[in-house]
Amino acid sequence: MQKISLKDDLQQNTYPGRGIVLGKTPDGRKAAAAYFIMGRSENSRNRIFVTDGQGIRTQAYDPSKLTDPSLIIYAPVRVLGNKTIVTNGDQTDTIYAGMDRQLTFEQALRSREFEPDGPNFTPRISGIQHIENGKFNYALSILKSSDGNPQSCHRYTFAYENPLAGEGHFIHTYMHDGDPLPSFEGEPKRVEIPDSLDALTALLWDNLNPDNKVSLFVRMIDLASGETETRIVNKHA
């Protein structure tokens, strides 16, 4: 698969929806993770990321304007030992609980499917990073309807062992804006990962559609020491 420009890909898509990027820095020393959310409705745009232990959660920026918390209020990032879980919904908790009971990432997601928000039936996208003794691997999953037909759930998991320095993979919920919104198709996109937290944050935030972007989480983990750097950017600061 050809490596694509994350900058160009984001600039050319007004509404990728929610997105996950996992990868490794060019010096091979750090694992990188990012998660962003976008919104078209007032309810979806009325959100911010806040820290929650070692992870984050979404909350309403203006609680008086929150009309429906389902599907928009959840913990996108949780940490279980040496594993970092990143998802676009409350399946974060499903993966956490399942892996805490020794299930695999894929097994833990067997109890879930796409979101019940017809006619979009938004895919559930999930990622996990595993760091042990300086070694690093990650996986990405998508649970989606069959071309918008909710009678069938398609499950795909993509695993990346010993990822190459300076590379990562990007998956998002929608191919582009539309009505209904078309689900992501194909393998996660192979993208470049810059060398610093600031650079990755700017690469994503500066190139997301300014009208639709809502919040961004970025984290880098030192593979040798386990030390983390985290950045949160909210449109509603």
Side-chain angles (χ1 to χ4, degrees):
M1 176 183 290
Q2 184 177 1
K3 191 189 302 184
I4 67 168
S5 165
L6 190 51
K7 175 182 178 180
D8 291 346
D9 194 65
L10 291 175
Q11 286 184 343
Q12 294 165 8
N13 191 347
T14 59
Y15 202 66
R18 288 165 273 174
I20 299 172
V21 178
L22 301 180
K24 185 187 286 185
T25 55
D27 60 11
R29 296 175 54 190
K30 295 180 180 179
Y35 176 63
F36 64 79
I37 59 174
M38 306 180 81
R40 298 189 302 178
S41 69
E42 182 181 41
N43 196 47
S44 292
R45 291 177 174 180
N46 180 36
R47 288 185 289 173
I48 57 173
F49 286 165
V50 296
T51 58
D52 185 10
Q54 293 178 285
I56 63 168
R57 58 183 170 84
T58 63
Q59 72 176 32
Y61 173 67
D62 183 346
S64 69
K65 295 181 178 179
L66 180 64
T67 58
D68 181 6
S70 67
L71 303 179
I72 69 165
I73 302 299
Y74 56 93
V77 180
R78 294 189 66 182
V79 175
L80 177 63
N82 57 8
K83 302 176 183 68
T84 300
I85 304 162
V86 186
T87 91
N88 73 325
D90 63 9
Q91 73 267 26
T92 310
D93 299 332
T94 304
I95 297 168
Y96 185 100
M99 297 193 80
D100 197 36
R101 300 194 310 270
Q102 306 306 309
L103 295 179
T104 67
F105 176 60
E106 190 172 14
Q107 287 171 336
L109 282 165
R110 280 288 172 181
S111 64
R112 306 304 302 269
E113 57 179 28
F114 47 84
E115 295 182 355
D117 62 338
N120 296 318
F121 301 109
T122 299
R124 290 191 186 271
I125 56 172
S126 307
I128 189 158
Q129 294 176 310
H130 179 215
I131 299 170
E132 188 167 11
N133 298 323
K135 295 184 178 181
F136 168 49
N137 61 71
Y138 62 87
L140 289 163
S141 164
I142 183 167
L143 312 178
K144 53 187 288 189
S145 68
S146 179
D147 292 325
N149 187 334
Q151 294 183 355
S152 178
C153 180
H154 294 186
R155 303 172 181 274
Y156 303 92
T157 303
F158 305 88
Y160 305 93
E161 295 185 5
N162 192 28
L164 299 177
E167 292 189 3
H169 290 85
F170 172 38
I171 193 168
H172 46 92
T173 51
Y174 310 123
M175 291 298 290
H176 49 75
D177 205 349
D179 190 15
L181 289 157
S183 294
F184 181 89
E185 295 180 359
E187 292 184 34
K189 301 171 181 178
R190 184 174 169 230
V191 296
E192 77 283 0
I193 299 294
D195 59 3
S196 71
L197 184 75
D198 287 343
L200 182 55
T201 302
L203 174 64
L204 292 165
W205 190 251
D206 292 350
N207 293 292
L208 286 167
N209 181 270
D211 294 328
N212 295 322
K213 66 184 180 182
V214 175
S215 295
L216 169 67
F217 160 90
V218 183
R219 173 169 292 171
M220 289 196 173
I221 307 172
D222 188 287
L223 298 179
S225 68
E227 293 183 1
T228 64
E229 300 175 277
T230 300
R231 183 71 43 78
I232 292 174
V233 184
N234 291 306
K235 189 171 185 179
H236 298 299

Coordinates of all heavy atoms in Angstrom, one line a residue, residues 67-154:
T67 N -28.8 17.6 24.0 CA -30.2 17.0 23.8 C -30.2 15.5 23.8 O -31.2 14.9 24.1 CB -30.7 17.5 22.4 OG1 -29.8 17.1 21.4 CG2 -30.8 19.0 22.4
D68 N -29.1 14.9 23.5 CA -29.1 13.4 23.5 C -27.7 12.9 23.7 O -26.8 13.0 22.9 CB -29.6 12.9 22.1 CG -29.6 11.3 22.1 OD1 -29.3 10.7 23.1 OD2 -29.8 10.8 21.0
P69 N -27.4 12.4 25.0 CA -26.0 12.0 25.3 C -25.6 10.7 24.7 O -24.4 10.4 24.6 CB -26.1 11.9 26.8 CG -27.5 11.6 27.1 CD -28.3 12.3 26.1
S70 N -26.6 9.9 24.2 CA -26.2 8.6 23.6 C -25.3 8.8 22.4 O -25.6 9.6 21.6 CB -27.5 7.8 23.3 OG -28.2 8.4 22.2
L71 N -24.3 8.0 22.3 CA -23.4 7.9 21.1 C -22.4 9.1 21.1 O -21.5 9.0 20.3 CB -24.1 7.8 19.8 CG -25.1 6.6 19.6 CD1 -25.8 6.7 18.3 CD2 -24.4 5.3 19.8
I72 N -22.6 10.1 21.9 CA -21.6 11.2 21.9 C -20.9 11.4 23.2 O -19.8 12.1 23.2 CB -22.3 12.5 21.4 CG1 -23.2 13.1 22.5 CG2 -23.0 12.4 20.1 CD1 -23.6 14.5 22.2
I73 N -21.4 10.9 24.3 CA -20.7 11.0 25.6 C -20.1 9.6 25.9 O -20.9 8.6 26.1 CB -21.7 11.5 26.7 CG1 -22.3 12.8 26.3 CG2 -20.9 11.5 28.0 CD1 -21.2 14.0 26.1
Y74 N -18.8 9.5 26.0 CA -18.2 8.2 26.2 C -16.7 8.5 26.5 O -16.2 9.6 26.5 CB -18.3 7.3 25.0 CG -17.8 7.9 23.7 CD1 -16.4 7.7 23.3 CD2 -18.6 8.7 22.9 CE1 -16.0 8.3 22.1 CE2 -18.1 9.3 21.7 CZ -16.8 9.1 21.3 OH -16.3 9.7 20.2
A75 N -15.9 7.4 26.8 CA -14.5 7.5 27.1 C -13.8 7.0 25.9 O -13.7 5.8 25.6 CB -14.1 6.7 28.3
P76 N -13.2 7.9 25.0 CA -12.5 7.4 23.8 C -11.2 6.7 24.1 O -10.8 5.9 23.3 CB -12.3 8.7 23.0 CG -13.1 9.7 23.6 CD -13.3 9.3 25.0
V77 N -10.5 7.1 25.2 CA -9.2 6.5 25.5 C -9.2 6.0 26.9 O -9.5 6.7 27.9 CB -8.1 7.6 25.3 CG1 -6.7 7.0 25.6 CG2 -8.1 8.1 23.9
R78 N -8.7 4.7 27.1 CA -8.5 4.1 28.4 C -7.2 3.3 28.3 O -6.8 2.8 27.2 CB -9.6 3.2 28.8 CG -11.0 3.9 29.1 CD -12.0 3.0 29.7 NE -11.6 2.6 31.0 CZ -12.3 1.8 31.8 NH1 -13.5 1.3 31.4 NH2 -11.9 1.5 33.0
V79 N -6.5 3.2 29.5 CA -5.3 2.5 29.5 C -5.4 1.3 30.5 O -5.9 1.4 31.6 CB -4.2 3.4 30.1 CG1 -2.9 2.6 30.3 CG2 -3.9 4.6 29.1
L80 N -5.0 0.1 30.0 CA -5.1 -1.1 30.7 C -3.7 -1.7 30.8 O -3.2 -2.3 29.8 CB -6.0 -2.1 30.1 CG -6.2 -3.5 30.7 CD1 -6.7 -3.4 32.1 CD2 -7.0 -4.4 29.9
G81 N -3.0 -1.4 31.9 CA -1.6 -1.9 32.0 C -0.7 -1.3 30.9 O -0.6 -0.1 30.8
N82 N -0.2 -2.2 30.0 CA 0.7 -1.7 28.9 C 0.0 -1.5 27.6 O 0.6 -1.5 26.6 CB 1.9 -2.6 28.8 CG 1.5 -4.0 28.5 OD1 0.4 -4.4 28.3 ND2 2.5 -4.9 28.5
K83 N -1.4 -1.5 27.7 CA -2.2 -1.3 26.5 C -3.0 0.0 26.5 O -3.6 0.3 27.6 CB -3.2 -2.5 26.4 CG -2.5 -3.9 26.4 CD -3.6 -5.0 26.4 CE -3.0 -6.4 26.4 NZ -2.3 -6.6 27.7
T84 N -3.0 0.7 25.4 CA -3.8 1.9 25.3 C -4.9 1.6 24.3 O -4.6 1.2 23.1 CB -2.9 3.1 24.8 OG1 -1.9 3.3 25.7 CG2 -3.7 4.3 24.6
I85 N -6.1 1.8 24.7 CA -7.3 1.6 23.9 C -7.9 2.9 23.4 O -8.0 3.8 24.2 CB -8.4 0.8 24.7 CG1 -7.8 -0.5 25.3 CG2 -9.6 0.6 23.8 CD1 -8.7 -1.0 26.4
V86 N -8.1 3.0 22.1 CA -8.7 4.2 21.5 C -9.9 3.9 20.6 O -9.7 3.1 19.7 CB -7.6 5.0 20.6 CG1 -8.2 6.3 20.1 CG2 -6.3 5.2 21.4
T87 N -11.0 4.4 20.9 CA -12.2 4.1 20.0 C -13.1 5.3 19.8 O -12.9 6.3 20.5 CB -13.1 2.9 20.6 OG1 -14.1 3.5 21.5 CG2 -12.2 1.9 21.4
N88 N -14.1 5.1 19.0 CA -15.1 6.2 18.7 C -16.4 6.0 19.5 O -17.4 6.6 19.1 CB -15.3 6.3 17.2 CG -16.2 5.2 16.7 OD1 -16.1 4.1 17.1 ND2 -17.0 5.5 15.7
G89 N -16.4 5.2 20.5 CA -17.6 5.0 21.3 C -17.4 4.3 22.6 O -16.3 4.1 23.0
D90 N -18.6 3.9 23.2 CA -18.4 3.2 24.5 C -17.9 1.8 24.4 O -17.8 1.1 25.4 CB -19.8 3.2 25.2 CG -20.9 2.5 24.5 OD1 -20.6 1.8 23.5 OD2 -22.1 2.6 24.9
Q91 N -17.5 1.3 23.1 CA -16.9 0.0 23.0 C -15.5 0.1 23.6 O -14.8 -0.9 23.8 CB -16.8 -0.4 21.6 CG -15.8 0.3 20.7 CD -16.4 1.4 19.9 OE1 -17.4 2.0 20.4 NE2 -15.9 1.8 18.8
T92 N -15.0 1.3 24.0 CA -13.7 1.4 24.8 C -13.9 0.6 26.0 O -13.0 -0.2 26.4 CB -13.4 2.9 25.1 OG1 -13.5 3.7 24.0 CG2 -12.1 3.0 25.8
D93 N -15.0 0.7 26.7 CA -15.2 0.0 27.9 C -15.4 -1.5 27.7 O -15.0 -2.3 28.5 CB -16.5 0.5 28.6 CG -16.4 2.0 29.0 OD1 -15.2 2.5 29.2 OD2 -17.4 2.7 29.0
T94 N -16.0 -1.9 26.6 CA -16.2 -3.3 26.2 C -14.8 -3.9 26.0 O -14.6 -5.1 26.5 CB -17.0 -3.4 24.9 OG1 -18.3 -2.7 25.1 CG2 -17.3 -4.9 24.6
I95 N -13.9 -3.3 25.3 CA -12.6 -3.8 25.1 C -11.8 -3.9 26.4 O -11.1 -4.9 26.6 CB -11.8 -2.9 24.0 CG1 -12.5 -2.9 22.7 CG2 -10.4 -3.4 23.9 CD1 -12.0 -1.9 21.7
Y96 N -11.9 -2.8 27.2 CA -11.2 -2.8 28.4 C -11.6 -4.0 29.3 O -10.8 -4.7 29.9 CB -11.5 -1.5 29.2 CG -10.7 -1.3 30.4 CD1 -9.6 -0.5 30.5 CD2 -11.1 -1.8 31.6 CE1 -8.9 -0.3 31.7 CE2 -10.5 -1.6 32.8 CZ -9.3 -0.8 32.8 OH -8.6 -0.6 34.0
A97 N -12.9 -4.2 29.5 CA -13.4 -5.3 30.3 C -13.1 -6.6 29.7 O -12.7 -7.5 30.5 CB -15.0 -5.1 30.5
G98 N -13.2 -6.8 28.4 CA -12.9 -8.0 27.8 C -11.4 -8.4 27.9 O -11.1 -9.6 28.3
M99 N -10.5 -7.5 27.7 CA -9.1 -7.8 27.7 C -8.6 -7.9 29.2 O -7.7 -8.7 29.4 CB -8.3 -6.7 27.0 CG -8.6 -6.6 25.5 SD -7.5 -5.6 24.6 CE -6.1 -6.8 24.4
D100 N -9.3 -7.3 30.1 CA -9.1 -7.5 31.5 C -9.4 -9.0 31.9 O -8.9 -9.5 32.9 CB -9.8 -6.5 32.3 CG -9.3 -6.4 33.8 OD1 -8.1 -6.5 34.0 OD2 -10.1 -6.2 34.7
R101 N -10.3 -9.6 31.1 CA -10.7 -11.0 31.4 C -9.9 -11.9 30.4 O -10.3 -13.1 30.2 CB -12.2 -11.2 31.2 CG -13.1 -10.4 32.1 CD -14.5 -10.9 32.1 NE -15.0 -11.1 30.7 CZ -15.6 -10.1 30.0 NH1 -15.8 -8.9 30.6 NH2 -16.1 -10.4 28.8
Q102 N -8.8 -11.4 29.9 CA -7.9 -12.2 29.0 C -8.5 -12.5 27.6 O -8.0 -13.4 26.9 CB -7.5 -13.5 29.7 CG -6.9 -13.4 31.1 CD -5.7 -12.4 31.1 OE1 -4.8 -12.5 30.3 NE2 -5.7 -11.4 32.0
L103 N -9.5 -11.8 27.2 CA -10.0 -11.9 25.8 C -9.0 -11.2 24.9 O -8.4 -10.2 25.4 CB -11.4 -11.4 25.7 CG -12.6 -12.1 26.4 CD1 -13.9 -11.4 26.1 CD2 -12.7 -13.6 26.0
T104 N -9.0 -11.5 23.6 CA -8.2 -10.7 22.7 C -9.0 -9.5 22.3 O -10.2 -9.4 22.6 CB -7.9 -11.5 21.4 OG1 -9.1 -11.8 20.7 CG2 -7.2 -12.9 21.8
F105 N -8.3 -8.6 21.7 CA -9.0 -7.4 21.1 C -10.2 -7.7 20.3 O -11.3 -7.2 20.4 CB -7.9 -6.6 20.4 CG -8.4 -5.3 19.6 CD1 -8.9 -4.3 20.3 CD2 -8.2 -5.2 18.3 CE1 -9.3 -3.1 19.7 CE2 -8.5 -4.1 17.6 CZ -9.1 -3.0 18.3
E106 N -9.9 -8.6 19.3 CA -11.0 -9.0 18.4 C -12.2 -9.8 19.1 O -13.3 -9.5 18.9 CB -10.4 -10.0 17.3 CG -11.4 -10.2 16.2 CD -10.7 -11.0 15.1 OE1 -9.6 -11.5 15.3 OE2 -11.3 -11.0 14.0
Q107 N -11.8 -10.6 20.1 CA -12.9 -11.3 20.8 C -13.7 -10.4 21.7 O -14.9 -10.5 21.7 CB -12.2 -12.4 21.7 CG -11.7 -13.6 21.0 CD -10.9 -14.5 22.0 OE1 -10.3 -14.0 23.0 NE2 -10.7 -15.8 21.6
A108 N -13.1 -9.4 22.3 CA -13.8 -8.4 23.1 C -14.8 -7.7 22.3 O -15.9 -7.3 22.8 CB -12.8 -7.5 23.7
L109 N -14.6 -7.4 21.0 CA -15.5 -6.7 20.1 C -16.6 -7.5 19.5 O -17.5 -7.0 18.9 CB -14.7 -6.0 19.0 CG -13.9 -4.7 19.4 CD1 -12.9 -4.3 18.4 CD2 -14.9 -3.6 19.7
R110 N -16.6 -8.8 19.8 CA -17.6 -9.7 19.2 C -19.0 -9.4 19.7 O -20.0 -9.7 19.0 CB -17.3 -11.2 19.5 CG -16.2 -11.7 18.5 CD -16.8 -12.0 17.2 NE -15.7 -12.3 16.2 CZ -16.0 -12.6 14.9 NH1 -17.2 -12.4 14.5 NH2 -15.0 -12.9 14.1
S111 N -19.1 -8.8 20.8 CA -20.4 -8.5 21.4 C -20.9 -7.1 20.9 O -22.1 -6.7 21.3 CB -20.3 -8.4 22.9 OG -19.5 -7.3 23.4
R112 N -20.2 -6.4 20.1 CA -20.6 -5.1 19.6 C -20.8 -5.1 18.1 O -20.3 -6.0 17.4 CB -19.6 -4.0 20.0 CG -19.3 -4.0 21.4 CD -20.5 -3.8 22.3 NE -21.2 -2.6 22.0 CZ -21.0 -1.4 22.6 NH1 -20.1 -1.2 23.5 NH2 -21.8 -0.4 22.3
E113 N -21.5 -4.1 17.5 CA -21.6 -3.9 16.1 C -21.6 -2.4 15.8 O -21.4 -1.6 16.7 CB -22.8 -4.6 15.5 CG -24.1 -4.3 16.1 CD -25.2 -5.0 15.4 OE1 -25.0 -6.2 14.9 OE2 -26.4 -4.5 15.4
F114 N -21.9 -2.0 14.6 CA -22.0 -0.6 14.3 C -23.1 0.1 15.1 O -23.9 -0.5 15.8 CB -22.4 -0.5 12.8 CG -23.6 -1.4 12.4 CD1 -24.9 -1.0 12.6 CD2 -23.3 -2.6 11.9 CE1 -25.9 -1.8 12.2 CE2 -24.4 -3.5 11.5 CZ -25.7 -3.1 11.7
E115 N -23.0 1.5 15.1 CA -23.9 2.3 15.9 C -25.3 2.2 15.4 O -25.6 2.2 14.2 CB -23.4 3.7 16.0 CG -22.1 3.8 16.7 CD -21.6 5.2 16.9 OE1 -22.3 6.2 16.3 OE2 -20.6 5.5 17.5
P116 N -26.4 2.3 16.3 CA -27.8 2.2 15.9 C -28.3 3.5 15.5 O -29.4 4.0 16.0 CB -28.4 1.6 17.1 CG -27.6 2.2 18.2 CD -26.2 2.2 17.8
D117 N -27.6 4.2 14.6 CA -28.0 5.6 14.2 C -28.4 5.6 12.7 O -28.0 6.5 12.0 CB -26.9 6.6 14.5 CG -25.6 6.3 13.7 OD1 -25.5 5.1 13.2 OD2 -24.8 7.2 13.5
G118 N -29.3 4.7 12.3 CA -29.8 4.7 11.0 C -30.3 6.1 10.5 O -30.8 6.9 11.3
P119 N -30.1 6.4 9.2 CA -29.7 5.6 8.1 C -28.2 5.5 8.0 O -27.7 4.9 7.1 CB -30.3 6.2 6.9 CG -30.3 7.7 7.2 CD -30.6 7.8 8.7
N120 N -27.4 6.2 8.9 CA -25.9 6.2 8.7 C -25.3 4.9 9.2 O -24.3 4.4 8.6 CB -25.3 7.4 9.5 CG -25.8 8.7 9.0 OD1 -25.8 9.0 7.8 ND2 -26.1 9.6 9.9
F121 N -25.8 4.4 10.3 CA -25.2 3.2 10.9 C -23.7 3.3 11.0 O -22.9 2.6 10.4 CB -25.6 1.9 10.1 CG -27.1 1.7 10.1 CD1 -27.8 1.8 8.9 CD2 -27.8 1.4 11.2 CE1 -29.2 1.7 8.9 CE2 -29.2 1.2 11.2 CZ -29.9 1.4 10.0
T122 N -23.3 4.4 11.7 CA -21.9 4.7 11.8 C -21.0 3.6 12.3 O -21.4 2.9 13.2 CB -21.8 5.9 12.8 OG1 -22.5 7.0 12.4 CG2 -20.3 6.3 13.0
P123 N -19.9 3.3 11.6 CA -19.1 2.2 12.0 C -18.5 2.5 13.4 O -18.2 3.6 13.7 CB -17.9 2.2 10.9 CG -18.5 2.9 9.7 CD -19.5 3.9 10.3
R124 N -18.2 1.4 14.1 CA -17.4 1.5 15.3 C -16.0 1.2 14.9 O -15.6 0.2 14.4 CB -17.9 0.5 16.4 CG -19.2 0.9 16.9 CD -19.6 0.0 18.2 NE -20.9 0.3 18.6 CZ -21.3 1.2 19.5 NH1 -20.4 2.0 20.0 NH2 -22.6 1.4 19.8
I125 N -15.1 2.2 15.1 CA -13.7 2.1 14.8 C -12.9 2.0 16.2 O -13.3 2.8 17.1 CB -13.1 3.2 13.9 CG1 -13.4 4.6 14.5 CG2 -13.7 3.1 12.5 CD1 -12.7 5.7 13.8
S126 N -12.0 1.1 16.3 CA -11.3 0.9 17.5 C -9.8 0.6 17.2 O -9.4 0.0 16.2 CB -11.8 -0.3 18.3 OG -13.2 -0.1 18.5
G127 N -8.9 1.0 18.1 CA -7.5 0.8 18.0 C -6.9 0.4 19.4 O -7.5 0.7 20.4
I128 N -5.8 -0.4 19.3 CA -5.1 -0.7 20.5 C -3.6 -0.8 20.3 O -3.2 -1.2 19.2 CB -5.6 -2.1 21.1 CG1 -5.0 -2.3 22.5 CG2 -5.3 -3.3 20.1 CD1 -5.8 -3.3 23.3
Q129 N -2.9 -0.2 21.2 CA -1.4 -0.2 21.2 C -0.9 -1.1 22.4 O -1.5 -1.0 23.5 CB -0.9 1.2 21.4 CG -1.2 2.2 20.3 CD -0.6 3.5 20.6 OE1 -0.9 4.1 21.7 NE2 0.1 4.1 19.7
H130 N 0.0 -1.9 22.1 CA 0.6 -2.8 23.1 C 2.1 -2.6 23.1 O 2.8 -2.8 22.1 CB 0.3 -4.3 22.8 CG 0.9 -5.3 23.8 ND1 1.3 -6.5 23.4 CD2 1.0 -5.2 25.1 CE1 1.8 -7.1 24.5 NE2 1.6 -6.3 25.5
I131 N 2.7 -2.2 24.3 CA 4.1 -2.0 24.4 C 4.6 -2.9 25.5 O 4.1 -2.9 26.7 CB 4.4 -0.5 24.8 CG1 3.9 0.4 23.7 CG2 5.9 -0.3 25.0 CD1 3.9 1.9 24.0
E132 N 5.6 -3.6 25.2 CA 6.2 -4.6 26.2 C 7.7 -4.8 25.9 O 8.1 -5.1 24.8 CB 5.5 -5.9 26.2 CG 5.9 -6.8 27.3 CD 5.0 -8.0 27.5 OE1 4.2 -8.2 26.6 OE2 5.1 -8.7 28.5
N133 N 8.5 -4.5 27.0 CA 10.0 -4.6 26.8 C 10.5 -3.9 25.6 O 11.4 -4.4 24.9 CB 10.4 -6.1 26.8 CG 9.9 -6.9 28.0 OD1 10.0 -6.4 29.1 ND2 9.5 -8.1 27.8
G134 N 10.0 -2.7 25.4 CA 10.5 -1.9 24.3 C 10.0 -2.2 23.0 O 10.3 -1.5 22.0
K135 N 9.2 -3.3 22.9 CA 8.6 -3.7 21.6 C 7.2 -3.2 21.5 O 6.5 -3.0 22.5 CB 8.6 -5.2 21.5 CG 10.0 -5.8 21.4 CD 9.9 -7.3 21.2 CE 11.3 -7.9 21.1 NZ 11.3 -9.4 20.8
F136 N 6.7 -2.9 20.3 CA 5.5 -2.2 20.1 C 4.7 -2.8 18.9 O 5.3 -3.1 17.9 CB 5.8 -0.7 19.8 CG 4.7 0.1 19.3 CD1 3.4 0.1 19.9 CD2 4.9 0.9 18.1 CE1 2.4 0.9 19.4 CE2 3.8 1.7 17.7 CZ 2.6 1.7 18.3
N137 N 3.4 -3.0 19.1 CA 2.5 -3.4 18.0 C 1.2 -2.7 18.2 O 0.9 -2.3 19.3 CB 2.4 -4.9 17.9 CG 1.8 -5.6 19.1 OD1 0.7 -5.4 19.4 ND2 2.7 -6.3 19.8
Y138 N 0.4 -2.7 17.2 CA -0.9 -2.1 17.3 C -1.9 -2.8 16.3 O -1.5 -3.5 15.4 CB -0.9 -0.6 17.1 CG -0.5 -0.1 15.8 CD1 -1.4 0.1 14.7 CD2 0.9 0.3 15.6 CE1 -1.0 0.6 13.5 CE2 1.3 0.8 14.3 CZ 0.4 0.9 13.3 OH 0.8 1.5 12.1
A139 N -3.2 -2.6 16.6 CA -4.2 -3.1 15.7 C -5.3 -2.1 15.6 O -5.6 -1.3 16.5 CB -4.7 -4.4 16.3
L140 N -6.1 -2.2 14.5 CA -7.2 -1.3 14.2 C -8.4 -2.2 13.8 O -8.2 -3.2 13.2 CB -6.9 -0.3 13.1 CG -6.0 0.8 13.5 CD1 -5.4 1.5 12.3 CD2 -6.7 1.8 14.4
S141 N -9.6 -1.8 14.2 CA -10.8 -2.6 13.9 C -11.9 -1.7 13.4 O -12.0 -0.5 13.8 CB -11.3 -3.3 15.2 OG -12.6 -3.8 15.0
I142 N -12.7 -2.2 12.5 CA -13.9 -1.5 12.1 C -15.1 -2.5 12.1 O -14.9 -3.6 11.5 CB -13.7 -0.8 10.8 CG1 -15.0 0.0 10.4 CG2 -13.3 -1.7 9.7 CD1 -14.8 1.0 9.3
L143 N -16.2 -2.1 12.7 CA -17.4 -2.9 12.6 C -18.4 -2.1 11.8 O -18.8 -0.9 12.2 CB -18.0 -3.2 14.0 CG -17.0 -3.7 15.1 CD1 -17.7 -3.9 16.4 CD2 -16.4 -5.0 14.6
K144 N -18.9 -2.6 10.7 CA -19.7 -1.7 9.8 C -20.9 -2.5 9.2 O -20.8 -3.7 9.2 CB -18.9 -1.2 8.7 CG -18.1 -2.2 7.9 CD -17.1 -1.6 6.9 CE -17.8 -1.0 5.8 NZ -16.9 -0.6 4.7
S145 N -21.9 -1.8 8.8 CA -23.0 -2.4 8.2 C -22.7 -2.8 6.8 O -21.6 -2.4 6.2 CB -24.2 -1.5 8.1 OG -24.0 -0.4 7.3
S146 N -23.5 -3.6 6.2 CA -23.2 -4.1 4.8 C -23.8 -3.1 3.8 O -25.0 -3.1 3.5 CB -23.9 -5.5 4.6 OG -23.7 -5.9 3.2
D147 N -22.9 -2.1 3.5 CA -23.4 -1.0 2.6 C -24.6 -0.4 3.0 O -25.6 -0.1 2.2 CB -23.5 -1.6 1.1 CG -22.2 -2.0 0.5 OD1 -21.2 -1.3 0.8 OD2 -22.2 -3.0 -0.3
G148 N -24.7 -0.1 4.3 CA -25.9 0.6 4.9 C -27.1 -0.3 5.2 O -28.1 0.1 5.8
N149 N -26.9 -1.6 5.0 CA -28.0 -2.6 5.4 C -27.6 -3.1 6.8 O -26.7 -3.8 7.0 CB -28.0 -3.7 4.4 CG -29.2 -4.7 4.7 OD1 -29.7 -4.8 5.8 ND2 -29.6 -5.4 3.6
P150 N -28.5 -2.8 7.8 CA -28.2 -3.2 9.2 C -28.4 -4.6 9.5 O -28.1 -5.1 10.6 CB -29.1 -2.3 10.0 CG -30.3 -2.0 9.1 CD -29.7 -2.0 7.7
Q151 N -28.9 -5.4 8.5 CA -29.1 -6.8 8.8 C -27.8 -7.6 8.9 O -27.8 -8.7 9.4 CB -30.0 -7.4 7.7 CG -31.4 -6.8 7.8 CD -32.4 -7.5 6.7 OE1 -31.9 -8.3 5.9 NE2 -33.6 -7.1 6.7
S152 N -26.7 -7.0 8.4 CA -25.4 -7.7 8.4 C -24.4 -6.8 8.9 O -24.3 -5.7 8.5 CB -25.1 -8.2 6.9 OG -23.8 -8.8 6.9
C153 N -23.5 -7.4 9.8 CA -22.4 -6.6 10.4 C -21.1 -7.2 9.8 O -20.9 -8.4 9.9 CB -22.4 -6.7 11.9 SG -21.0 -5.8 12.6
H154 N -20.3 -6.4 9.2 CA -19.0 -6.8 8.7 C -17.9 -6.4 9.7 O -17.8 -5.3 10.1 CB -18.7 -6.2 7.3 CG -19.6 -6.7 6.3 ND1 -19.5 -6.3 5.0 CD2 -20.7 -7.5 6.3 CE1 -20.4 -6.9 4.2 NE2 -21.2 -7.5 5.0

